[in-house]
Amino acid sequence: MEQKQLRWFSVGLIAFNMVWGIGNVVNNYAQQGISVVTSWILILVLYFIPYALIVGQLGSTFKDSNGGVSSWVQNTSTKRLAYYAAWTYWVVHIPYLAQKPQAILIALGWAIQGNGNLVNTMSISTVSFLSLIIFLLFLLLSTRGLATLKVIGGIAGTATFVMSMLFILFAVGAPAINSSVEFATPHMEQISTYIPKFDFSYFTTVSMLVFAVGGAEKISPYVNATKNPAKEFPKGMIFLAAMVGASAVLGSFAMGMLFASNNIPEDLMANGAYSAFQILGEYYGVGNLLMIIYALTNGAGQIAALAFSIDAPLKILLADADPDFVPSALRKKTKKGTLVNGYWLTGILVSIIIALPMFGLKNMNELVKWLTNLNSVVMPMRYLWVFFAYMMLNKAYKNYQSEYKFMKNPKAGFIFGLWCFLFTAFACVLGMVPKVDFAADPQGWFFQLASNILTPVVLIMLGMILPAIARREKDKV
């Protein structure tokens, strides 16, 4: 039976489910308002389309490599840098894992109570404690390898995609069906409403856009599953870019219809998607039905993402780890093949991030904003390795055969790789600036600044310590 079954549109749909969600629209609207429509167009043209096509060339060139980004780095540079690429891919998931339990609690509250009060009425200490319990429970489940979580993940991914499309169609179509619906944001018919103010504050929000459109490299393992990798995979990436663009622009337009851009609710990041579906349900006379469906769907998706993101990145880092860089203690497996000490390390680091808010944040809205922005600073660090590998590929282009090339001229290809690398680094650094008013909450501002700087630095330094331990271990033998 022919194994290569996937077509370009299938690859694009799979990638869309991996990298996109309603949260990307809500979070960026919460920071920029309706002017984010222009920002989406700019980020798609200047960054995401080159990024997706770069992934296409790397996937086509190294279609027999199973390690993703770390394999690309190893093929184009050294084993040491490949280790750091694998470490980065794993370690950036630590703040991401710390955020998932809160997202599960929020979804549970909306599904049960029909509002965001369940979590909003809790103290930060209570939220942190419950989040820690949820995380540790799924950490335990992940060590036992539950196959059902993969099924849940597939169902949740498909349902989330459907709900994303429904959200856009319902919101855009609401005024045409119901004449009483008025746009919450004034002057949406004027082009000037969509023009951002390109000041320092604006550029500190760019990391959230980069975070939203990143992750296309996750699709690289599917290159070999396509009928014609050299042609089908790049087409899939272009299709992905088109879907992301349509979802981002139309979704932001829909948010402008439902929430006033000049008076954005403080809890929009935490509760915006749920409130949107609640409003749409009222428009169409179905009450809370749409919101409850979304809450259950999103809750299932968060659960699946939590379990999968504990297990998969850890296996990429440690399953076939090089003894020259990873100590034997971390490579230790139980009789069932469980990387027991790797799970311990994950548990300790995530628990620290979950507990941190008790020392500097006052309420749930601040917690959600802080963790979301922290992820927008840390998560794009792994994209840097994609662009590094692409630059190295273009430097040694004579050594590799690429059936598909984003840029046929290697110098032009190197420049595109460098541009994407520098833009990502620029976004990450400026993203460290807190998004809270210093005068209103100096303590919270300094807490967020310190944590936004120290978290990526500490996580990277930890990765630099492990090779030294491994080297000392080998010297003793």
Side-chain angles (χ1 to χ4, degrees), residues 93-109 118-119 122 126-139 274 298-299 301-307 309-310 346-347 350-351 353-355 364 367-368 371 375:
H93 282 82
I94 297 301
Y96 178 79
L97 290 171
Q99 189 178 28
K100 288 303 167 188
Q102 282 107 37
I104 293 170
L105 285 172
I106 293 171
L108 183 65
L118 178 67
V119 178
M122 295 179 184
T126 303
V127 172
S128 296
F129 176 74
L130 291 175
S131 297
L132 186 59
I133 296 299
I134 292 172
F135 167 71
L136 293 177
L137 173 63
F138 280 95
L139 183 68
Y274 302 99
N298 190 46
Q302 299 295 343
I303 288 170
L306 175 57
S309 297
I310 289 172
T346 303
V350 174
S351 297
I353 299 291
I354 289 175
M364 188 63 190
L367 173 59
V368 171
L371 266 177
N375 272 295

Side-chain angles (χ1 to χ4, degrees), residues 140-433:
L140 178 63
L141 289 175
S142 294
T143 63
R144 299 185 178 184
L146 297 180
T148 50
L149 288 173
K150 293 184 179 179
V151 177
I152 293 172
I155 294 171
T158 303
T160 301
F161 170 71
V162 172
M163 293 303 287
S164 298
M165 295 298 101
L166 282 175
F167 169 68
I168 296 165
L169 292 174
F170 276 135
V172 173
I177 297 172
N178 188 342
S179 59
S180 66
V181 177
E182 295 182 2
F183 290 0
T185 300
H187 310 304
M188 286 186 67
E189 76 285 358
Q190 298 178 10
I191 294 177
S192 59
T193 305
Y194 301 92
I195 305 301
K197 185 180 179 182
F198 294 104
D199 54 10
F200 179 77
S201 178
Y202 171 84
F203 287 108
T204 64
T205 66
V206 171
S207 63
M208 191 70 73
L209 292 163
V210 173
F211 176 39
V213 299
E217 68 280 356
K218 292 180 184 178
I219 199 66
S220 61
Y222 292 91
V223 175
N224 262 346
T226 57
K227 287 191 174 183
N228 186 339
K231 293 183 179 179
E232 298 273 323
F233 192 74
K235 280 185 181 178
M237 292 296 98
I238 295 172
F239 183 46
L240 166 65
M243 286 192 295
V244 168
S247 182
V249 172
L250 292 176
S252 299
F253 185 77
M255 290 297 292
M257 293 164 56
L258 301 175
F259 302 99
S261 180
N262 55 357
N263 188 25
I264 295 173
E266 282 293 317
D267 66 342
L268 193 66
M269 277 193 184
N271 300 314
Y274 302 99
S275 296
F277 277 108
Q278 193 170 50
I279 294 169
L280 291 173
E282 292 172 0
Y283 286 167
Y284 290 97
V286 293
N288 283 339
L289 180 63
L290 293 178
M291 180 274 293
I292 292 172
I293 293 174
Y294 175 72
L296 294 173
T297 302
N298 190 46
Q302 299 295 343
I303 288 170
L306 175 57
F308 182 77
S309 297
I310 289 172
D311 188 61
L314 191 63
K315 285 182 177 176
I316 289 174
L317 174 65
L318 300 178
D320 299 307
D322 193 322
D324 290 337
F325 306 110
V326 180
S328 59
L330 271 183
R331 290 182 280 113
K332 180 182 176 182
K333 294 181 181 179
T334 64
K335 291 181 180 179
K336 293 182 179 180
T338 302
L339 295 157
V340 59
N341 290 330
Y343 282 101
W344 272 108
L345 180 60
T346 303
I348 292 169
L349 292 177
V350 174
S351 297
I352 291 171
I353 299 291
I354 289 175
L356 269 180
M358 292 188 287
F359 301 99
L361 299 180
K362 296 177 180 178
N363 58 58
M364 188 63 190
N365 292 330
E366 288 184 5
L367 173 59
V368 171
K369 288 180 181 179
W370 168 66
L371 266 177
T372 305
N373 279 292
L374 179 62
N375 272 295
S376 77
V377 171
V378 175
M379 192 63 80
M381 287 164 48
R382 66 191 171 118
Y383 313 153
L384 294 171
W385 291 106
V386 175
F387 307 128
F388 171 79
Y390 186 66
M391 287 189 287
M392 294 301 101
L393 174 65
N394 280 281
K395 282 192 71 174
Y397 69 97
K398 293 181 180 179
N399 300 330
Y400 303 100
Q401 293 297 320
S402 303
E403 292 181 72
Y404 161 75
K405 291 183 179 180
F406 166 44
M407 284 284 139
K408 292 185 178 180
N409 185 315
K411 290 183 179 179
F414 185 90
I415 290 171
F416 266 97
L418 181 62
W419 155 252
C420 289
F421 184 96
L422 294 176
F423 185 82
T424 305
F426 166 81
C428 288
V429 171
L430 282 189
M432 294 177 180
V433 178

